Amino acid sequence: MTDRKSKNHVYCKVIDAIQGTRSKLLIEILKRFLTIDDCEVILALRYEPEPLEKVAERLREDPKTARKRLEKAISKGVCYFISTAQDVLYRRQPLFAIVETLFVDGRDRQLGDDFRAILAKYWNEEFIHKYYDVEKPRYRIIPVEKSIPFATLVIPYQYAADILRRAKRIVLLRCTCRSWFQRCDNPVETCMLLDDAAEYYQARGSYIKELTVKESLEILHRTEELGLIHATDNVAEDAKFLCSCCPCCCVVLRGLIAYGKRKAVAKSLYVARVDESKCTGCGECVKRCYFGAAALHGGKRRVDAEKCFGCGACAWVCKNNAIALVPVRESMRGPSSA
Ligand code: SF4
Ligand code: SF4
Ligand code: SF4
């Protein structure tokens, strides 16, 4: 095998490992910021968090040298760590998280306009079409708290606000998708990382600031007013992030809305229901629904329950409180976000 061929072979293995899609463009992208040394570390990591010794064994290095390589991998955003009471555990990062760190760190600017252009080309023309053809939805829409009529009907982790109230640590990041695609005027200082994900970004030094719960709830409220859709990782507990997404920039929502990738986002456990006696037919809620689930018929709001993702954006905007979210499914929990 020629040197170039064997290098490409390593990058192909990395693409599989980080859940990318096999592509010449992606090989070119990775080569711009990942060395073969970085690739070896990625391939030695697993999605299951592991102690240093395990990774060192796969790298065939002594623990001290392996730790140095892992620290470099953390600074490049390809390795994630979790500090436990006894140990530090390391795991591999998937492609989306790797790209996110490029934007959060500002390394995308250092890599230049040409790099940003090929990354966007890959994302729009290849990744978004293939990545979401997966069995388990990767994100879950969270209904906004105001829309939930009875607290007892709600499984607690679905509440965006409750997720924030439960978090032990919250840090604010720039929204990668809006910084990247710049298709709207929505604010970019809206992404919130929680607990060990917050610690990870703090250790890397690339975050805007640590938030109090009150500050985080204010951001949640502001983004809700703007009609942004809240999403978190598709895990049973211990959410790692709380996103407030727009349908024009968000790589996840765009997968669903623009390209019909139904598995890009998991529906919340709810569906909107309208009390026609309160509905004046003003149509405000129809403008807020990005999922094509809202329409007016005979001067009254109707819900297409099949299309409804239970995000609650329509209920928030209805001044007559004519819309409630009602639970329609028990759970679509995923075992892990890895
Ligand atoms: S997923 Fe949503 S909030 Fe997160 S970076 Fe993308 S648009 Fe921003
Ligand atoms: S916003 Fe409320 S009142 Fe207006 S159409 Fe929708 S449900 Fe009816
Ligand atoms: S009708 Fe649309 S805006 Fe309302 S909850 Fe369903 S998906 Fe969200």
Side-chain angles (χ1 to χ4, degrees), residues 85-271:
Q86 301 78 30
D87 215 343
V88 178
L89 304 175
Y90 301 89
R91 51 160 267 191
R92 184 188 287 158
Q93 286 273 62
L95 179 61
F96 183 76
I98 294 171
V99 170
E100 182 173 64
T101 62
L102 283 176
F103 282 87
V104 169
D105 299 349
R107 281 180 290 143
D108 63 303
R109 289 192 292 275
Q110 291 159 18
L111 287 158
D113 288 346
D114 174 45
F115 174 81
R116 289 166 65 109
I118 59 166
L119 186 57
K121 185 174 165 60
Y122 166 70
W123 215 269
N124 290 328
E125 294 177 14
E126 298 185 29
F127 183 86
I128 216 161
H129 297 282
K130 294 184 189 157
Y131 181 68
Y132 298 115
D133 294 336
V134 292
E135 283 311 309
K136 179 164 76 77
R138 294 177 196 270
Y139 289 78
R140 174 188 299 286
I141 298 283
I142 304 168
V144 292
E145 186 184 36
K146 182 176 176 255
S147 320
I148 305 290
F150 308 107
T152 50
L153 292 178
V154 177
I155 299 165
Y157 74 83
Q158 293 181 12
Y159 286 97
D162 266 2
I163 286 175
L164 293 173
R165 285 191 197 103
R166 279 200 308 273
K168 293 176 198 73
R169 192 183 298 200
I170 307 167
V171 301
L172 181 64
L173 296 189
R174 285 174 69 81
C175 163
T176 298
C177 306
R178 281 193 285 283
S179 308
W180 183 3
F181 292 104
Q182 300 172 8
R183 292 178 172 182
C184 65
D185 295 330
N186 284 307
V188 291
E189 297 192 354
T190 53
C191 281
M192 292 183 264
L193 275 292
L194 315 174
D195 298 339
D196 60 64
E199 190 188 338
Y200 173 75
Y201 276 95
Q202 280 184 309
R204 297 180 74 255
S206 54
Y207 65 105
I208 298 168
K209 63 173 184 165
E210 184 164 352
L211 299 172
T212 61
V213 171
K214 184 168 174 280
E215 288 169 329
S216 72
L217 291 171
E218 283 165 7
I219 291 173
L220 185 73
H221 190 272
R222 251 196 331 271
T223 54
E224 183 52 39
E225 288 289 337
L226 291 166
L228 300 181
I229 304 294
H230 309 298
T232 189
D233 36 355
N234 184 28
V235 291
E237 51 194 27
D238 297 336
K240 302 271 183 272
F241 67 84
L242 195 102
C243 274
S244 295
C245 310
C246 52
C248 43
C249 302
C250 176
V251 295
V252 181
L253 287 185
R254 265 197 305 136
L256 171 76
I257 294 167
Y259 301 105
K261 301 290 179 188
R262 304 300 291 182
K263 288 179 184 165
V265 187
K267 290 178 175 179
S268 85
L269 308 186
Y270 301 88
V271 73

Side-chain angles (χ1 to χ4, degrees), residues 272 288-291 293-294 301 303 307-315 325:
R288 278 287 168 110
C289 181
Y290 298 129
F291 302 94
R301 158 75 196 277
V303 179
K307 291 183 179 167
C308 177
F309 269 69
C311 69
C314 58
L325 288 189

Side-chain angles (χ1 to χ4, degrees), residues 19-37:
Q19 301 174 350
T21 58
R22 288 272 182 115
S23 141
K24 281 185 184 156
L25 264 185
L26 186 54
I27 292 178
E28 197 187 324
I29 290 162
L30 296 181
K31 279 181 175 172
R32 302 247 186 138
F33 71 100
L34 293 181
T35 62
I36 289 291
D37 191 67

